[in-house]
Amino acid sequence: MRRGRVELARFESRVLRGNAAGDPHERLVPVYLPPGYDAEPAHRFPVVFVLAGFTGRGRMLLNDQPWSPALDDRMDALIAAGSPELILVMPDCFTRFGGSQYVDSAATGRYETHLVDELVPWVDERWRTLAARDHRGIAGKSSGGFGALRLGMRHANLFGALACHSGDMLFEYCYQPDFPKACSVLQEAGGIGRFLEAFVAKPQKGKDDFSTLNIVGMAACYSPEAGAELGVGLPFDLATGLPRADVWERWLAFDPLRLLPAHADALGSLRLLHLDCGTRDEFHLHHGARAFTAELRRLAIAHTYEEYADGHMNVSYRYDKSLPALARALSE
Amino acid sequence: MRRGRVELARFESRVLRGNAAGDPHERLVPVYLPPGYDAEPAHRFPVVFVLAGFTGRGRMLLNDQPWSPALDDRMDALIAAGSPELILVMPDCFTRFGGSQYVDSAATGRYETHLVDELVPWVDERWRTLAARDHRGIAGKSSGGFGALRLGMRHANLFGALACHSGDMLFEYCYQPDFPKACSVLQEAGGIGRFLEAFVAKPQKGKDDFSTLNIVGMAACYSPEAGAELGVGLPFDLATGLPRADVWERWLAFDPLRLLPAHADALGSLRLLHLDCGTRDEFHLHHGARAFTAELRRLAIAHTYEEYADGHMNVSYRYDKSLPALARALSE
Amino acid sequence: MRRGRVELARFESRVLRGNAAGDPHERLVPVYLPPGYDAEPAHRFPVVFVLAGFTGRGRMLLNDQPWSPALDDRMDALIAAGSPELILVMPDCFTRFGGSQYVDSAATGRYETHLVDELVPWVDERWRTLAARDHRGIAGKSSGGFGALRLGMRHANLFGALACHSGDMLFEYCYQPDFPKACSVLQEAGGIGRFLEAFVAKPQKGKDDFSTLNIVGMAACYSPEAGAELGVGLPFDLATGLPRADVWERWLAFDPLRLLPAHADALGSLRLLHLDCGTRDEFHLHHGARAFTAELRRLAIAHTYEEYADGHMNVSYRYDKSLPALARALSE
Amino acid sequence: MRRGRVELARFESRVLRGNAAGDPHERLVPVYLPPGYDAEPAHRFPVVFVLAGFTGRGRMLLNDQPWSPALDDRMDALIAAGSPELILVMPDCFTRFGGSQYVDSAATGRYETHLVDELVPWVDERWRTLAARDHRGIAGKSSGGFGALRLGMRHANLFGALACHSGDMLFEYCYQPDFPKACSVLQEAGGIGRFLEAFVAKPQKGKDDFSTLNIVGMAACYSPEAGAELGVGLPFDLATGLPRADVWERWLAFDPLRLLPAHADALGSLRLLHLDCGTRDEFHLHHGARAFTAELRRLAIAHTYEEYADGHMNVSYRYDKSLPALARALSE
């Protein structure tokens, strides 16, 4: 089998420099170059930005795992099986809160801007991409699927195709159920800062630890709040334990389901709009995916949607479907 | 040890006759009579109505269990240890939906009316109670605690003391997190009726089965809806999976936290107002209990509140605290 | 529907008096008398001893439960549906270790003797039984199924039919897997006595608590050991944590699978020999049941065997099959 | 911070060529070279072989993870903090059964021979190691800890120091409890081959899947059997479900606890013998570790032993202790 290769490129971000969370502004960005890249030195290739899920970053997509190929090996195999060749870019938008949701936030940093204004042109300059909207795609899973869907809606001038695997949406179902537990954990920890310290120090993190990190992380992204601890506005009051409706409204403004109506034209202009979800998704994202695609149908926006009889984790096998479809859509 | 005895009395309810759920209007009501009841035939005793939790009814309070005494044995021991004597009444307000929350509902039946207008006078007629508000109490655990608290607030003319153990409140935290899962289960089952059939037929019911029954049961109690399947208005749309805000508002009208302000006088008039909760309550009820008692403190309403380092199940040991306190308050 | 009734009889045991575990020698034994018992005062009825599982005793078989009838209500319904009438006796062989396995043990008491030499004649004297081996059966579930099977094998002169639901056997699979965990728990607790104290005091007992109690209880029954703490010989050394092969051999001597060859004649003489098991039994008892019935087939011993696609808990619905079959076998 | 680098070397094994499991005989072996390796081109360094656990291989030790550094980054940090420099070799002994336990087996391949006869000399030839027993160590976690301990015992001429983190031992406790479940799973799957196929195909593998793979994997390593399916002798009979004592004896011959007496001299000759375990190890390995070290004490064999209040997973933080200790022991 012909093999591509990965360059692990260092990117120094101006946008992220001095970010509030104190995370590095230098990042390592793996870029997969397909077999033809070196073989045909004059050729240009479509490119897809692949966004990691929460607690992840680009390099993790290349991790060695026993029964699931790393993204580069997977792409090699897809190309060997007939997929058009693609460049894959794997950004690092990790933060001390576990992720960035690929949005701009005063508590984390300007990750949307970083991706859109910095990484996109840098990639086009540095590698032989087909540097045009119709040959550039974005994809991801879970929080990466959310990022792909939201950025695709908001930057239709940059991305001509997108794939959203089990992406965060219908926030009432995917986030709200964890609020009471997260509130208890944070109260016991003595606040966000102490929780994060204990979380990092704990070798074996449990289910409640991750649920709490998830809520803290989303709050850092969706509801930064000047004056709050670490600048993070929680969706509940740590003193009383009660829900905060105003903060919740700020979260909902990021829900792809709520963003859809205002971005129908952008979605309708895509060369490929692909969504999927597992029907036993532990974050109940199948409800969101069904509502989102029902609305797409109602608005007659072309898309593909697939459901799988599984859950939220270990679904990278679904790239076997989306990556060749993206490659075809972006190669035309 | 001197022992009381239990009469298992049959009550034929006019209020429940022809109830929408098709549940029996004849019920067996265990009544515990303390040791002195037979020994002092001229004496009258205070009475406490003890309300079972969801999926329970009065008789279950008398079940034989390996390391936790049945309610009659427990009361015998408390009296032996110095508690004033009490009559205990254990109503049966079970329904095909798993319970009644002790409210009137077009989908289940008029259980609040049954309890207040039928059982209270019947008990006073049939047994030698001190038939007055200041000698009549109400208590319960979980849904029974909710019932005790709500009925105590709404019928301060009937009940002079109440104890609420881990009672349902702050519905955003105790019910809402189960909506997406219940929605999935009901969709897969093909509606409420089929879900209930399968539930009853299944010897080994799982966690999701009970979560779903709980949501269906609460909907039957809080949001009956003419024309809906079995008359039950679900808090989500089974076709789209989306939350229904109007139904949710109807639920919130039953939340003790929301009822409190309008019933402050009633609560303030009680001879005993006792609440407790476990700090690891699986339904997150400690957040509600803290918010409720914080409001009591703000309004300077006398009460007692205790927290235990445990969860929601198997907390009948807490009656060791509340029953003697009720007995003392209702004996004065 | 015609209804039978339950007498809760008090039995004072000479055999259990002064038992090593300090458990009461007076026991309450519920006896179910079928509808015809009072209606036909000259008639005699077959009798079945129904043995509760570990942590249970006879009275628990009558507990009120939301979706599963108590044993008396179940028998009423079976008789209404055509089953011959039966007297049911529900012994109390509970101990401080959680049960007795219905065996004689120096650490618990002589429960086999109690049942066989005391209860059987007492029942025949006190109620209108058909007081003969061919009209007397024994049945039970889990540890009660083990008891029924073992006592049926050893006392074929007393019992003419038996039903064993998910009974303990193939001890390598049903007990041994819990040894390492039980060893850890007992080491941390500081011995058997302290473990039992903490167990009783803990309102919400967890999975490991029950697994440990189970191993301690079996050790008390199968391997009493003079000089050991509470007279209980554990199958591992608490100081080193290592398995004790000699103790294990004593356990295996109680395994119905090992008892079978020496009791083939007794088993072959039964009017009914019924076994069943769930194929997802959490104690892996389906392996034992299959091995036991394979051996029965090899020896051409008549029996019935059924498998159900469920687990170990809440299987009392299976009495709907075994009780009428026992009634028929014992009525002929 | 000064950084080392990793060479991902390809090794073509003669020993593994044509192995029975059909696994590749060409392997990628990451070799970590410390910062001084390039800086001091005449210098030679001690070397440690780090063995991955079950379902792992060397490359996984370098995986990017959110809150736990990859092995190369970890070693860089340890060196920066004062540890002597070390070369780390990360063999790939993965098989279709999930691993090799680093033993020779007719069902998997000759992995012990591969490591000892092929990798050790190849490393010494290809990199600037201190090519002597007193400067060569071996370490690992879980199955890798087992491998390190067993190979260290058997090849004291090759390895002068070893560290065993939560290594497999006391097989009665770490493997046997999973036999009944694995037997059920394999029976339902229809044998080993079908189980493995289904396992690989299943994106989301559950707890029982992994337990079963583990038992199959151990059987492939410890009890290969000519004529059995895939050459694997299971420790139970798939037809009857019963345990096979003869196979079990073959397993026990690999238990480090049983190997210890015959290898006391080898263990006593080590410059460093380090073991540790979590006190809540899910495979109960703390019992084994305590028994092993108790025996070491009895035989007056020098060693270090630490217990941690955690479980079996995510314990790579313990390399922070063992790697500098190995580095010091092997640098003298």
Side-chain angles (χ1 to χ4, degrees):
Chain A
M1 189 165 69
R2 295 166 65 227
R3 296 206 167 271
R5 62 181 169 85
V6 171
E7 287 188 14
L8 190 62
R10 185 172 302 268
F11 182 82
E12 191 174 332
S13 168
R14 268 175 303 179
V15 162
L16 298 181
R17 186 189 299 268
N19 64 76
D23 288 307
H25 69 282
E26 269 195 37
R27 302 289 175 124
L28 292 175
V29 181
V31 176
Y32 167 85
L33 303 170
Y37 194 85
D38 293 329
E40 306 159 65
H43 201 70
R44 292 189 164 268
F45 298 85
V47 64
V48 171
F49 288 74
V50 185
L51 309 184
F54 192 66
T55 77
R57 58 181 176 182
R59 270 184 283 168
M60 284 181 216
L61 301 170
L62 303 174
N63 276 352
D64 191 46
Q65 288 183 290
W67 293 280
S68 179
L71 192 60
D72 52 341
D73 292 334
R74 187 180 295 278
M75 198 66 227
D76 282 346
L78 292 168
I79 291 168
S83 169
E85 300 197 62
L86 268 184
I87 293 172
L88 301 176
V89 180
M90 296 159 250
D92 173 2
C93 297
F94 188 70
T95 73
R96 69 175 294 200
F97 299 104
S100 71
Q101 297 298 97
Y102 308 96
V103 307
D104 287 355
S105 156
T108 58
R110 295 167 58 219
Y111 286 90
E112 177 173 3
T113 301
H114 161 63
L115 206 150
V116 158
D117 287 358
E118 290 190 328
L119 287 191
V120 166
W122 172 69
V123 164
D124 286 339
E125 279 161 33
R126 184 146 168 184
W127 292 279
R128 296 196 319 275
T129 59
L130 287 164
R133 180 264 191 194
D134 280 353
H135 303 291
R136 186 185 299 114
I138 189 162
K141 184 245 159 185
S142 191
S143 287
F146 163 85
L149 187 52
R150 182 172 170 278
L151 295 180
M153 282 195 264
R154 290 166 57 87
H155 303 282
N157 58 317
L158 289 182
F159 302 106
L162 78 83
C164 166
H165 302 285
S166 306
D168 300 16
M169 60 186 84
L170 189 43
F171 288 3
E172 291 89 342
Y173 285 5
C174 68
Y175 300 140
Q176 226 173 15
D178 286 331
F179 286 3
K181 172 56 75 182
C183 182
S184 294
V185 170
L186 289 169
Q187 287 175 332
E188 279 165 36
I192 299 176
R194 288 192 184 168
F195 163 74
L196 289 174
E197 268 171 53
F199 181 92
V200 169
K202 208 173 183 176
Q204 299 173 343
K205 308 171 210 305
K207 187 174 179 298
D208 289 349
D209 296 319
F210 279 108
S211 298
T212 303
L213 182 78
N214 193 41
I215 298 309
V216 168
M218 295 309 120
C221 298
Y222 300 149
S223 50
E225 183 176 323
E229 187 186 3
L230 296 179
V232 175
L234 291 169
F236 35 75
D237 185 312
L238 269 194
T240 66
L242 294 173
R244 293 176 65 195
D246 55 331
V247 172
W248 181 237
E249 282 306 313
R250 297 178 61 197
W251 286 42
L252 289 176
F254 285 89
D255 190 333
L257 258 184
R258 312 237 171 180
L259 292 172
L260 196 166
H263 296 84
D265 287 351
L267 289 165
S269 75
L270 292 168
R271 302 181 134 222
L272 178 79
L273 169 56
H274 178 74
L275 294 101
D276 66 29
C277 202
T279 57
R280 297 193 295 262
D281 189 284
E282 289 85 353
F283 294 91
H284 318 295
L285 293 167
H286 49 297
H287 291 301
R290 288 169 189 169
F292 194 93
T293 52
E295 187 66 7
L296 291 178
R297 282 196 306 278
R298 203 183 61 80
L299 298 170
I301 296 173
H303 66 283
T304 53
Y305 175 56
E306 307 216 22
E307 291 197 349
Y308 296 87
D310 59 14
H312 193 71
M313 311 311 286
N314 300 318
V315 298
S316 52
Y317 70 90
R318 297 192 201 149
Y319 283 121
D320 288 350
K321 199 113 190 186
S322 61
L323 289 175
L326 287 165
R328 281 188 295 271
L330 297 170
S331 297
E332 284 159 14
Chain B
M1 189 166 68
R2 294 166 67 224
R3 293 207 168 272
R5 63 183 169 82
V6 170
E7 287 188 13
L8 190 62
R10 186 173 301 270
F11 181 82
E12 192 175 330
S13 167
R14 269 176 303 181
V15 162
L16 298 181
R17 187 188 298 271
N19 64 74
D23 288 307
H25 69 283
E26 269 195 37
R27 301 289 173 123
L28 292 175
V29 182
V31 176
Y32 167 86
L33 303 169
Y37 193 85
D38 294 331
E40 306 158 64
H43 199 70
R44 290 190 165 269
F45 297 85
V47 62
V48 170
F49 287 76
V50 185
L51 309 184
F54 193 66
T55 78
R57 57 180 176 182
R59 271 185 282 168
M60 282 180 217
L61 300 170
L62 303 173
N63 276 352
D64 191 47
Q65 288 183 290
W67 293 281
S68 178
L71 191 61
D72 52 341
D73 293 334
R74 187 181 294 278
M75 196 67 227
D76 282 346
L78 291 168
I79 291 168
S83 169
E85 300 197 63
L86 267 185
I87 292 173
L88 301 176
V89 180
M90 295 159 249
D92 173 2
C93 296
F94 187 70
T95 73
R96 68 175 296 198
F97 298 105
S100 71
Q101 297 299 98
Y102 308 97
V103 307
D104 287 355
S105 156
T108 59
R110 296 168 56 220
Y111 287 89
E112 177 173 4
T113 302
H114 161 62
L115 207 151
V116 158
D117 287 359
E118 289 190 328
L119 286 191
V120 167
W122 173 69
V123 164
D124 286 339
E125 279 162 32
R126 185 146 169 183
W127 291 279
R128 297 198 318 277
T129 58
L130 287 165
R133 181 264 191 194
D134 279 355
H135 303 292
R136 188 184 298 112
I138 190 162
K141 182 246 158 185
S142 191
S143 287
F146 163 84
L149 187 53
R150 182 172 170 277
L151 294 179
M153 282 196 262
R154 289 165 56 87
H155 304 282
N157 57 319
L158 288 182
F159 302 106
L162 78 82
C164 167
H165 303 285
S166 307
D168 300 17
M169 60 185 84
L170 189 43
F171 288 5
E172 290 89 342
Y173 284 5
C174 68
Y175 299 141
Q176 225 172 17
D178 286 331
F179 286 3
K181 172 55 75 179
C183 182
S184 294
V185 170
L186 289 169
Q187 286 175 333
E188 278 165 35
I192 299 176
R194 287 192 186 170
F195 164 73
L196 288 175
E197 267 172 53
F199 181 91
V200 169
K202 206 173 185 177
Q204 300 173 341
K205 308 172 210 304
K207 187 174 179 296
D208 289 348
D209 296 320
F210 280 109
S211 298
T212 303
L213 182 78
N214 193 42
I215 297 309
V216 169
M218 296 308 119
C221 299
Y222 300 148
S223 51
E225 182 175 323
E229 188 187 3
L230 296 179
V232 174
L234 291 170
F236 35 76
D237 185 311
L238 270 193
T240 64
L242 294 174
R244 293 175 65 196
D246 55 330
V247 172
W248 181 236
E249 283 305 312
R250 296 179 62 197
W251 287 43
L252 288 177
F254 285 88
D255 190 333
L257 258 184
R258 311 238 171 180
L259 291 172
L260 198 166
H263 295 85
D265 288 350
L267 288 165
S269 76
L270 292 169
R271 301 180 135 224
L272 179 78
L273 170 56
H274 178 74
L275 295 99
D276 68 27
C277 202
T279 56
R280 297 194 293 262
D281 190 283
E282 289 85 352
F283 295 91
H284 318 295
L285 293 167
H286 50 297
H287 291 301
R290 288 169 188 169
F292 194 92
T293 52
E295 187 66 7
L296 291 178
R297 281 195 307 277
R298 203 184 61 80
L299 297 170
I301 297 174
H303 67 283
T304 53
Y305 175 56
E306 308 215 21
E307 291 197 348
Y308 296 88
D310 59 14
H312 193 71
M313 311 312 285
N314 301 317
V315 298
S316 51
Y317 70 90
R318 296 191 202 151
Y319 282 121
D320 288 351
K321 199 114 190 186
S322 60
L323 288 175
L326 287 165
R328 281 188 295 272
L330 298 169
S331 297
E332 284 158 15
Chain C
M1 187 165 70
R2 295 165 67 224
R3 294 208 168 271
R5 63 181 170 84
V6 171
E7 286 188 14
L8 190 61
R10 185 173 302 270
F11 181 83
E12 192 174 330
S13 166
R14 268 175 304 182
V15 162
L16 299 182
R17 187 189 299 268
N19 64 75
D23 288 306
H25 69 282
E26 268 194 36
R27 302 289 174 122
L28 292 176
V29 181
V31 176
Y32 167 85
L33 304 170
Y37 193 86
D38 293 331
E40 306 159 65
H43 201 69
R44 290 188 164 271
F45 297 84
V47 63
V48 170
F49 288 74
V50 185
L51 308 184
F54 192 65
T55 77
R57 57 181 175 181
R59 270 184 283 168
M60 282 180 218
L61 300 169
L62 303 173
N63 276 353
D64 191 46
Q65 289 182 290
W67 294 280
S68 179
L71 191 62
D72 53 341
D73 293 334
R74 188 181 294 277
M75 196 67 226
D76 282 346
L78 291 169
I79 291 168
S83 169
E85 300 197 64
L86 267 185
I87 292 172
L88 301 176
V89 180
M90 294 159 251
D92 173 2
C93 297
F94 188 70
T95 73
R96 69 175 296 199
F97 298 105
S100 70
Q101 297 299 97
Y102 308 96
V103 307
D104 288 354
S105 157
T108 58
R110 296 167 56 221
Y111 287 89
E112 177 172 4
T113 302
H114 160 63
L115 206 151
V116 158
D117 287 358
E118 288 190 327
L119 286 191
V120 167
W122 172 70
V123 164
D124 286 340
E125 280 162 32
R126 184 145 169 185
W127 290 278
R128 297 197 318 277
T129 58
L130 287 165
R133 181 263 192 194
D134 279 356
H135 303 291
R136 188 184 298 112
I138 190 162
K141 183 244 157 183
S142 191
S143 287
F146 164 84
L149 187 53
R150 182 171 170 278
L151 295 180
M153 281 196 264
R154 289 165 56 87
H155 304 281
N157 58 320
L158 289 182
F159 302 106
L162 78 82
C164 166
H165 302 285
S166 306
D168 300 17
M169 60 185 83
L170 188 43
F171 288 3
E172 291 89 342
Y173 284 5
C174 69
Y175 299 140
Q176 223 172 17
D178 286 330
F179 286 3
K181 172 56 74 178
C183 182
S184 295
V185 171
L186 289 168
Q187 287 175 333
E188 278 166 36
I192 299 176
R194 288 192 185 171
F195 164 74
L196 288 175
E197 267 171 53
F199 181 90
V200 169
K202 205 173 185 176
Q204 300 173 341
K205 308 171 210 304
K207 188 174 179 297
D208 289 348
D209 296 320
F210 280 109
S211 298
T212 303
L213 182 78
N214 193 42
I215 298 310
V216 168
M218 296 308 119
C221 299
Y222 301 148
S223 51
E225 182 175 323
E229 187 186 5
L230 296 178
V232 174
L234 291 170
F236 34 77
D237 185 313
L238 270 194
T240 66
L242 293 174
R244 293 176 65 197
D246 55 331
V247 172
W248 181 235
E249 281 306 312
R250 296 178 62 198
W251 286 43
L252 288 176
F254 285 87
D255 190 333
L257 259 184
R258 311 238 172 180
L259 291 171
L260 199 166
H263 296 84
D265 288 350
L267 288 166
S269 76
L270 292 169
R271 300 178 136 226
L272 179 78
L273 170 56
H274 178 74
L275 294 100
D276 68 28
C277 203
T279 56
R280 297 194 294 263
D281 190 283
E282 289 85 353
F283 294 91
H284 319 294
L285 293 167
H286 49 294
H287 291 301
R290 288 169 189 170
F292 194 94
T293 52
E295 186 67 7
L296 290 178
R297 282 195 307 278
R298 205 183 60 81
L299 298 170
I301 296 173
H303 67 284
T304 53
Y305 175 56
E306 307 216 22
E307 290 196 349
Y308 296 87
D310 58 14
H312 193 71
M313 311 312 285
N314 301 317
V315 298
S316 51
Y317 70 91
R318 296 190 202 151
Y319 283 121
D320 287 351
K321 200 112 190 188
S322 61
L323 288 175
L326 287 165
R328 281 188 295 272
L330 298 169
S331 297
E332 283 158 17
Chain D
M1 189 164 71
R2 295 165 66 226
R3 295 207 167 272
R5 63 182 171 84
V6 171
E7 286 187 16
L8 190 61
R10 185 172 302 269
F11 181 83
E12 192 174 331
S13 166
R14 267 175 304 181
V15 162
L16 299 181
R17 186 189 298 269
N19 63 76
D23 289 306
H25 69 282
E26 267 194 37
R27 303 290 174 123
L28 293 176
V29 181
V31 177
Y32 166 85
L33 304 169
Y37 193 86
D38 293 330
E40 308 158 65
H43 201 70
R44 292 188 163 268
F45 298 85
V47 62
V48 170
F49 287 75
V50 185
L51 308 184
F54 192 65
T55 77
R57 56 180 175 182
R59 270 184 284 169
M60 284 181 217
L61 300 169
L62 303 174
N63 276 352
D64 190 45
Q65 287 182 291
W67 294 280
S68 179
L71 191 61
D72 52 340
D73 293 333
R74 186 181 295 278
M75 197 66 226
D76 282 345
L78 291 168
I79 291 168
S83 169
E85 300 196 65
L86 268 184
I87 292 173
L88 301 176
V89 180
M90 295 160 250
D92 172 3
C93 296
F94 188 70
T95 73
R96 69 174 295 199
F97 298 104
S100 70
Q101 298 298 98
Y102 308 96
V103 307
D104 286 356
S105 156
T108 58
R110 295 169 56 221
Y111 287 89
E112 178 173 0
T113 303
H114 160 62
L115 207 150
V116 158
D117 287 357
E118 289 190 327
L119 287 192
V120 167
W122 172 69
V123 165
D124 286 338
E125 280 162 32
R126 184 146 167 184
W127 291 278
R128 298 197 318 276
T129 58
L130 287 164
R133 182 263 191 194
D134 280 353
H135 304 290
R136 187 185 299 113
I138 190 161
K141 183 244 159 187
S142 192
S143 287
F146 163 84
L149 186 54
R150 181 171 171 278
L151 295 180
M153 282 195 264
R154 290 164 57 85
H155 304 281
N157 59 318
L158 288 182
F159 302 105
L162 78 83
C164 167
H165 302 284
S166 306
D168 300 16
M169 60 185 83
L170 187 44
F171 288 3
E172 290 90 341
Y173 284 4
C174 68
Y175 299 140
Q176 225 174 14
D178 286 330
F179 286 3
K181 172 56 75 181
C183 181
S184 295
V185 171
L186 289 169
Q187 286 176 333
E188 278 164 36
I192 299 175
R194 288 193 185 169
F195 163 74
L196 288 175
E197 267 171 54
F199 181 91
V200 169
K202 208 174 185 174
Q204 300 173 342
K205 308 172 210 304
K207 186 173 179 299
D208 289 348
D209 297 319
F210 280 108
S211 298
T212 303
L213 182 78
N214 192 42
I215 298 308
V216 168
M218 296 307 120
C221 299
Y222 301 148
S223 50
E225 182 176 323
E229 188 187 3
L230 295 179
V232 174
L234 291 169
F236 35 76
D237 185 312
L238 269 195
T240 66
L242 294 173
R244 294 176 65 195
D246 55 330
V247 173
W248 181 235
E249 282 306 312
R250 296 178 61 198
W251 287 42
L252 289 176
F254 286 88
D255 190 333
L257 258 183
R258 312 236 171 181
L259 291 172
L260 197 166
H263 296 84
D265 288 350
L267 288 166
S269 75
L270 292 169
R271 303 179 134 224
L272 178 78
L273 170 56
H274 178 74
L275 295 99
D276 67 29
C277 202
T279 58
R280 296 193 296 264
D281 190 284
E282 290 84 354
F283 294 91
H284 319 294
L285 293 167
H286 49 297
H287 291 301
R290 288 169 188 170
F292 194 93
T293 52
E295 187 66 7
L296 291 178
R297 282 195 306 278
R298 204 182 62 79
L299 298 171
I301 297 173
H303 66 283
T304 53
Y305 175 56
E306 307 216 22
E307 291 197 350
Y308 296 87
D310 59 13
H312 192 72
M313 312 311 287
N314 300 318
V315 298
S316 50
Y317 70 90
R318 298 191 200 149
Y319 283 119
D320 288 350
K321 198 112 191 186
S322 60
L323 289 176
L326 287 165
R328 281 188 296 271
L330 299 169
S331 297
E332 285 158 17

